[in-house]
Amino acid sequence: MGEFDLIARYFTRPMRPGGAVALGVGDDCALLAPAPGMQLAVSSDMLVEGRHFFADVDPEALGHKALAVNLSDLAACGAKPLAFTLALSLPRVDEAWLAGFSHGLLALADAHGCELVGGDTTQGPLNICITVFGEVPPGQALLRSGARPGDDIYVSGTLGDARLALEALQGHVTLPADVLARARLRLERPTPRVALGLALRGVASSAMDVSDGLLGDLSHILKASGVGARIDTCITSNLIASGAYISGTTGQFDQELALQCTLAGGDDYELAFTAPPTRRNAVAAASQASDTPITRIGTVLSEPGLQLVNAHGQPVNNRYASFDHFR
Ligand code: ADP
Ligand code: MG
């Protein structure tokens, strides 16, 4: 099968009429028609074999994740997904792999009304780069720079299960099979919080998605906003869904592992955001409207730096570095 047959078979579909795509796959450019007056939100994310995923990962899950991590960036900005492009480097034409990959990818695309409008396909090491396009009304994009002293800090969903699954797959911890299966879904099939991002427009003062670990990502908001924060680690360490199963050799709950996974785990794809305490009702309404659980985990402070406190308000030493590809 040649390059163009491959594109036609796995990555070309009839276009939905009436959408934001005026021209999809097949010409030199795709044409997008965002609603009049809207700003385009654009973001790219690349997944590299051996770096972001194991070579033997289920191709359908990989297709899902490749788009999910990009939709998560649109969610963090409060943008509505419109379309995406796919740049794909493949070692060989493996039709079973392509069928699984395109199925996972396009199923998530359909769930969010986000159309594949073009891309590039070459032979080479397995590498997947997606660029997403979304729309947001001018002035309403959620940015990292809007956090103000006194604001509440929230995070959506659960934290740390993806990292726990990774630790288990690497043989560092042991989990019951059903617990690992559920945690693995968080690692391999993350849920982009698109509906929550949309509901937080005009409510959150700042937002970002948690991809490299809560504390590291939060520090980007703090830096961009010129503020500091206090985080209650007693609350965050309970946000790991598999928490009951984190036990060390003694069989006791391993608090340190729970802290590591929730504070610095990575691959969560939840939203971290801030909002003034006067907007607590609006935040709760956004959570409800988007059917997404959220938890208040701390407070924005005027003095810079990230303070961690335990249940008794005592300081916890911050030794939870986030994932960094070049460290
Ligand atoms: P060009 O040489 O003009 O860059 P290509 O020959 O690479 O175009 O691609 C032909 C068409 O197929 C283009 O419309 C391009 O956007 C699309 N395309 C290429 N690869 C992919 C892919 N992996 N997924 C979706 N569309 C693709
Ligand atoms: Mg080309």
Side-chain angles (χ1 to χ4, degrees), residues 242-257:
S242 340
Y245 300 93
I246 302 188
S247 50
T249 44
T250 57
Q252 297 286 316
F253 178 69
D254 187 339
Q255 178 73 19
E256 188 54 33
L257 183 57

Side-chain angles (χ1 to χ4, degrees), residues 215 230-234 236 255-256 259 263 306-320:
L215 295 188
R230 181 170 53 239
I231 300 294
D232 187 333
T233 62
C234 186
T236 54
Q255 178 73 19
E256 188 54 33
L259 286 168
L263 296 177
L306 195 50
Q307 301 173 22
L308 305 182
V309 295
N310 64 17
H312 312 292
Q314 291 156 337
V316 172
N317 180 17
N318 183 0
R319 52 194 177 276
Y320 306 102

Side-chain angles (χ1 to χ4, degrees), residues 149-161:
D151 282 359
D152 295 321
I153 304 173
Y154 300 86
V155 69
S156 65
T158 57
L159 291 176
D161 296 281

